[in-house]
Amino acid sequence: MVTESAEEYLEAIYKLGEEGQPVALSALAERLAISSVSANEMVRKLVERELVLYEPYKGVSLTPAGQTQALAVIRRHRLWERFLTDVLGLSWDQVHEEACRLEHATSPLVEERLARLLGEPETCPHGHPMPTVEGEMAVEAGRPLAELTPGQRARVLRVPEGDDALLRYLSTLGLEPQATVQVEAVAPFQGPLTVRVGETRHILGRELASQIVVQPL
């Protein structure tokens, strides 16, 4: 049986390594707010269980078994986020920490009933794809909002998750999944973007705009 701590590691490795690159131990330690020594010790245990591979000076990556386990945790987490928002009425900035606690205590039976109750949702409230029970996840292709040029319109696909203050700010701008946004101007030299959401104009920093994934229309 995979422990709660091990699940946290596998989930973090998956999210940090979504580009297919090995994850540095320092990045993993920073993500989990632990020491590099603790990260190294847990990675060694996961290697012994054949859930991860580790190459010195390169980093850690998931084995097929490790990826399956990571996606199972992510599925439970995102199902709980949907339940907390869609059924209990919590705002999308309140659900991440709650789902983190619930994901480790969810049996396969509860997971199945939860998915059925929610109508087999395809995304979490932040627009990120829902892994299937078979351990697969299809990510809808998109581009960072920061890459759009003046005049382009796009549909918001997904936004960063886990940063409560940022999510509250995005809510005030109306920048939520499925919202339509139009770029009106882009300042030179990595300057901000002027975007229109509905009838309202907003100024977005380039760094923030690069974290919002959209599908050009």
Side-chain angles (χ1 to χ4, degrees):
M1 180 178 177
V2 179
T3 65
E4 178 177 329
S5 178
E7 287 184 340
E8 293 283 358
Y9 273 81
L10 295 173
E11 183 179 12
I13 293 168
Y14 182 89
K15 291 183 176 179
L16 288 169
E18 284 185 312
E19 299 297 325
Q21 300 297 319
V23 176
L25 283 182
S26 58
L28 181 59
E30 180 179 358
R31 178 66 168 259
L32 296 172
I34 57 173
S35 68
S36 294
V37 173
S38 296
N40 186 68
E41 182 179 349
M42 177 57 82
V43 165
R44 179 179 56 79
K45 293 178 181 178
L46 295 175
V47 168
E48 292 174 355
R49 299 193 63 175
E50 299 183 344
L51 293 171
V52 304
L53 301 172
Y54 176 64
E55 294 184 67
Y57 308 108
K58 289 188 177 181
V60 59
S61 55
L62 298 173
T63 64
Q67 178 167 307
T68 297
Q69 187 66 46
L71 286 170
V73 179
I74 293 170
R75 173 177 169 80
R76 297 196 299 267
H77 181 98
R78 291 178 178 170
L79 283 171
W80 280 118
E81 286 188 329
R82 284 248 73 109
F83 177 83
L84 293 167
T85 54
D86 297 356
V87 179
L88 297 189
L90 274 66
S91 62
W92 69 345
D93 59 283
Q94 296 177 311
V95 298
H96 179 73
E97 291 301 324
E98 296 292 341
C100 281
R101 287 187 280 270
L102 292 164
E103 67 189 28
H104 303 295
T106 306
S107 69
L109 175 60
V110 171
E111 177 188 327
E112 177 189 352
R113 297 296 174 85
L114 189 59
R116 189 185 308 170
L117 172 68
L118 295 168
E120 302 292 344
E122 296 183 354
T123 67
C124 76
H126 315 103
H128 296 267
M130 186 74 66
T132 67
V133 71
E134 293 81 18
E136 300 175 351
M137 185 163 68
V139 180
E140 189 172 1
R143 296 170 57 190
L145 176 57
E147 292 184 0
L148 270 59
T149 56
Q152 279 194 288
R153 296 173 65 250
R155 174 173 62 92
V156 176
L157 293 179
R158 48 191 177 271
V159 301
E161 56 184 348
D163 187 330
D164 297 347
L166 176 58
L167 290 170
R168 286 192 291 273
Y169 176 63
L170 292 177
S171 287
T172 67
L173 304 182
L175 284 170
E176 302 177 352
Q178 305 307 313
T180 299
V181 57
Q182 180 169 354
V183 176
E184 295 196 339
V186 180
F189 306 109
Q190 296 299 305
L193 286 73
T194 301
V195 303
R196 179 186 289 273
V197 183
E199 298 301 317
T200 308
R201 288 189 180 89
H202 303 291
I203 305 297
L204 291 183
R206 191 66 63 97
E207 181 180 352
L208 174 56
S210 69
Q211 299 179 64
I212 300 171
V213 179
V214 301
Q215 183 181 67
L217 298 175

